[in-house]
């Protein structure tokens, strides 16, 4: 069965610092991988997704993630944090077939200090 | 843009009541999903549907049922609400071709 592990329920960075949110997955078939962001009292917004092809995926708001099959990882990064990046971030996996249900990690709350 | 609309943003119900959470999407998507979101637990899949009148159990279906009589509408039913069903409920639908999952804004249900 597929699963997602997000390492660190809370991550704190200073404004301008590198953001690194970790995600590892398990899947018996080539996965589709996603990162979503949720701002307080709002719904989920897609940051980026990996389906096939290039393993480095660029998303909105300067975020990117790299699919590493050998490490079963899909870590999210941003070179320079902004105060507006403070939110909860969710990694999700779907097993290979478009349209199947997403399985989510437990989320990582990102705090950004000035 | 695809819209997934959940009929209520906030809902307060009493223990034992039958509760209906409604979700409507406007893009003729075949696949629809219900999740619940709890702090520290992320989103957990309750039920999903790949077509009208079809339903599949997710990871936590106990205490819930669903109905999909029309393609655009997917209802989550709590047969007898309990306090441990107090949560945020999120509906989603999927564009299979683009594999884009769109979420509604959620219904925050409180059972007292």
């Amino acid at each position: 069965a597929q699963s997602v592990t997000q390492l660190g329920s809370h991550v704190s960075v200073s404004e301008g610092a590198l953001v690194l949110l970790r995600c590892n997955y398990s899947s018996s078939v080539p996965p589709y991988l996603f990162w979503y962001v949720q701002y307080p009292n709002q719904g989920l917004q897609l940051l980026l997704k990996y389906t096939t092809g290039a393993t480095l995926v660029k998303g909105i708001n300067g975020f990117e993630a790299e699919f590493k099959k050998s490490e079963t990882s899909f870590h999210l990064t941003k070179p320079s944090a902004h105060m507006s990046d403070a939110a909860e971030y969710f990694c999700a996996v779907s097993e290979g077939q478009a349209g199947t249900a997403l399985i989510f990690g437990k989320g990582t709350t990102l705090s950004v200090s000035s | 843009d695809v819209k997934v609309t959940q009929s209520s943003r906030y809902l307060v119900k009493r223990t034992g009541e039958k509760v209906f959470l409604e979700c409507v999407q406007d893009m003729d998507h075949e696949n629809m999903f219900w999740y619940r979101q709890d702090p520290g637990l992320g989103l957990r899949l309750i039920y999903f549907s790949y077509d009208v009148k079809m339903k599949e159990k997710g990871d936590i279906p106990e205490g819930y049922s669903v109905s999909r009589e029309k393609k655009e509408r997917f209802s989550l039913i709590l047969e007898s609400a309990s306090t441990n069903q107090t949560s945020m409920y999120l509906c989603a639908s999927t564009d299979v071709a683009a594999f884009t999952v769109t979420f509604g804004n959620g219904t925050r249900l409180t059972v007292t």
Side-chain angles (χ1 to χ4, degrees), chain A residues 32 34 36 38 41-44 46 49 51 88 90 94 97-107, chain B residues 9-10 31 33 35 37 40-43 45 48 50 59 90 94 96 98-105:
Chain A
Y32 290 176
F34 303 79
Y36 283 85
Q38 186 177 39
N41 297 315
Q42 294 188 27
L44 272 75
L46 179 67
K49 65 181 180 183
T51 54
E88 189 160 22
F90 294 95
S94 176
Q97 181 179 355
T100 54
L102 297 184
I103 302 302
F104 285 82
K106 294 183 178 181
Chain B
R9 187 79 173 103
Y10 298 96
N31 301 348
F33 310 87
Y35 292 86
Q37 181 181 7
L41 297 178
L43 281 78
L45 182 65
F48 55 103
Y50 290 150
D59 297 321
L90 292 163
T94 300
V96 175
F99 202 7
T100 303
V101 183
T102 303
F103 284 85
N105 284 331

Side-chain angles (χ1 to χ4, degrees), chain B residues 50-65:
Chain B
Y50 290 150
D51 205 346
V52 175
K53 297 192 185 296
M54 292 184 65
K55 59 184 179 183
E56 297 284 344
K57 293 181 179 179
D59 297 321
I60 53 163
E62 295 79 19
Y64 303 94
S65 63

Side-chain angles (χ1 to χ4, degrees), chain A residues 36-98:
Chain A
Y36 283 85
V37 60
Q38 186 177 39
Y39 299 101
N41 297 315
Q42 294 188 27
L44 272 75
Q45 181 182 8
L46 179 67
L47 273 178
L48 49 80
K49 65 181 180 183
Y50 168 80
T51 54
T52 58
T55 56
L56 182 62
V57 181
K58 295 187 184 299
I60 61 171
N61 302 339
F63 284 93
E64 63 183 35
E66 186 171 11
F67 168 56
K68 292 187 175 181
K69 184 179 178 181
S70 61
E71 299 177 7
T72 60
S73 69
F74 192 57
H75 301 330
L76 182 71
T77 60
K78 182 174 181 178
S80 177
H82 193 273
M83 298 292 285
S84 61
D85 294 326
E88 189 160 22
Y89 292 79
F90 294 95
C91 182
V93 64
S94 176
E95 277 195 335
Q97 181 179 355

Side-chain angles (χ1 to χ4, degrees), chain A residues 5-8 11 20-24 35 74-76 91 108:
Chain A
T5 301
Q6 291 185 238
L7 297 174
V11 171
L20 171 61
L21 304 182
R22 299 178 187 274
C23 173
N24 288 89
W35 276 100
F74 192 57
H75 301 330
L76 182 71
C91 182
T108 297

Side-chain angles (χ1 to χ4, degrees), chain B residues 68-99:
Chain B
R68 189 143 182 227
E69 296 296 321
K70 292 185 177 182
K71 195 172 189 178
E72 68 269 19
R73 185 179 297 271
F74 191 35
S75 303
L76 180 69
I77 304 159
L78 287 66
E79 296 290 344
S80 177
S82 64
T83 55
N84 62 13
Q85 292 178 311
T86 291
S87 186
M88 171 70 85
Y89 290 87
L90 292 163
C91 177
S93 72
T94 300
D95 177 344
V96 175
F99 202 7

